[in-house]
Amino acid sequence: MKNKNMSLINKVKNRYIGALLAMAILLSMAMGIMQYLLYQQSQDAHVINIAGMQRMLSQRIALFSAQEDKRDSENLRQAIDKFESNHEFLTKTERREAIYLNEALAALYYQEPVQLDLQSNTFVTLSRSQFQQPTPQLEEQIFTASQHILPNLNEAVSLFEQHARSKTEMVRKIELLIWLLGLLLLFIEAKFIFRPMAREIAEALDKLEAARKLADDALHSKSRFLARVSHELRTPLQAIQGYLDEYLSNKDTQQLQHVKSAANQLDVLLYSVQDFNNLSEQEVVIERHQVALREVIKSACIAFQLTAHKKSLAFNLALSNELDVTCYCDGKRVGWLISELVNNAIKFTERGSIQVFADLVVDEDTPYLEFVVEDTGPGFDYQQLREAVHSEHFQGTQLGLKRCRLLISALGGRLDFIAREPTGTRATLRVPIEIDNQQTLARTMEQVSARILLVEDNLLNARVIEKMLQPIAKQVTHVEHGEGALEVYEVGKFDIVLMDLNMPVMDGFEATERLRVLDPTVPILVVTANTNAEDLDKVYALGATAHLYKPLQPDVLHSKVVLLLNECGDLVSS
């Protein structure tokens, strides 16, 4: 959205600047043309003034030629000089072309019958002769010549004025053209620049308003979601507190097993929250771990026993002996599906009982986990429930049935609801699993004695992980940051590296990259609470081999380490 807004802003800015530049160019051209034409008009006025002066000078020369006073003789000389210089100015040429004479003036000055240029030069010659040796005959000739040249000088002035008026008319037409061009430019800018720009801005504002409403809705949904998550997390927390209180009262170690199951259920709920973004984008990546199937089901159900007891509901859990197997599946997501069904059954049941059955069935040579929850609640309209599965969220954290549908589809299973008589609902979950011999992992673990480098900045987490690794570790070397890992690795030999990501001094990203340069083959298992997909993609690109999310389960950690060592051929016989 930010990039789109910046693109729109740049587009609007460029169009606005383009429109202003076009108008500025037109105005500049108009100003330049007008300045040139005004200069030409001032020149024309000057030429007309000089042409008019010639008429006056011709009469002054005739008058001063008839005077005998020496002062008049000096005035005569000045008048003759001025008349001659004015004539030279008016007939001035450049590259053999007259500068100030148009075609009609050129005919007047150089063609018969007038030949004003010849008349003017003859008049100047007579006047200078009279100035040098005045005689009555020259005086008479000058007077006659002045009277003869005067109408022609008047004609020249008229022609100069007419030429100037034609230029003035041209200036007026150019001004009109510039005005029309300005109007046309404004119309073009309004139609093709400002109108589309206004439409795009309006559309962008509509999108921003829609985005604002969506953000407000998302914020409101987030608040509701966090409130629901907080409520749902209280169920396993309540179980943990309740079973711990019972353990402190009677020291029954069985209660600690219930605490562990409730803690596992809490982990599953936290995982579902972390998983929410990927699921909302329809991106479901199923993980396969080696797990004990019975423990997955018990951990998912045991936390709800106290909740059912507080509502005075009978809670019966019946697990088939066939479930005592080790299998490969996405244990956390299967556990979440089970807990969601049990949780909803308890929520909708005010009196009576909750019956939970689980068995391992084989259908067409494919083993399935069959999990059944029956309640004595008010029941559901099956059609409405089916519509809810395909559209709306449902109860609990309201990741609910929509998430169930996505997960069950990804797992290759199915979920069915049947109304019971007289009331209640029966929910049946079937998920395909891959059974493994329970002893395979144990035998494999007995064969493993790995030298492990643990890179973890939290000392408490490091001690817990070290304890988990004892069954498969010959030696666990712990360092608190990536720089320490590189120093230790350069002097030691390790079969596998467990790498945290967020650490001081040097984080797991840089450490993974530099460690991969030192050893291209050693397995690097990222162990992190960071579930950001971009960060995981980045660390894989830098050389990580696999990853596990915290909190770790011992069996999951063991199977992952053994699997990586097997794949790399680095199993070390004890």
Side-chain angles (χ1 to χ4, degrees), residues 420-446:
R420 300 177 65 209
E421 294 295 339
T423 60
T425 302
R426 177 188 176 98
T428 302
L429 171 68
R430 299 189 77 190
V431 178
I433 61 173
E434 180 184 348
I435 299 176
D436 186 26
N437 188 325
Q438 190 175 7
Q439 300 302 316
T440 301
L441 177 60
R443 287 201 303 269
T444 304
M445 287 171 55
E446 290 174 1

Side-chain angles (χ1 to χ4, degrees), residues 10 50 109 120 129 288 310 340 371 417 426 437 442 483 530 568:
N10 290 332
I50 290 177
Y109 270 84
S120 298
S129 297
R288 295 173 66 256
K310 284 183 173 293
E340 189 73 9
F371 184 81
F417 291 91
R426 177 188 176 98
N437 188 325
E483 188 174 290
N530 184 355
C568 296

Side-chain angles (χ1 to χ4, degrees), residues 370-415:
E370 185 173 84
F371 184 81
V372 180
V373 181
E374 294 182 351
D375 63 63
T376 56
F380 293 98
D381 181 276
Y382 182 74
Q383 180 63 29
Q384 291 179 354
L385 184 61
R386 184 170 60 182
E387 292 173 357
V389 170
H390 292 281
S391 59
E392 302 296 331
H393 294 300
F394 182 72
Q395 294 304 321
T397 59
Q398 289 201 1
L399 302 176
L401 291 184
K402 184 174 183 179
R403 185 172 189 240
C404 286
R405 178 173 60 84
L406 293 173
L407 287 181
I408 292 169
S409 175
L411 291 168
R414 59 180 295 177
L415 176 62

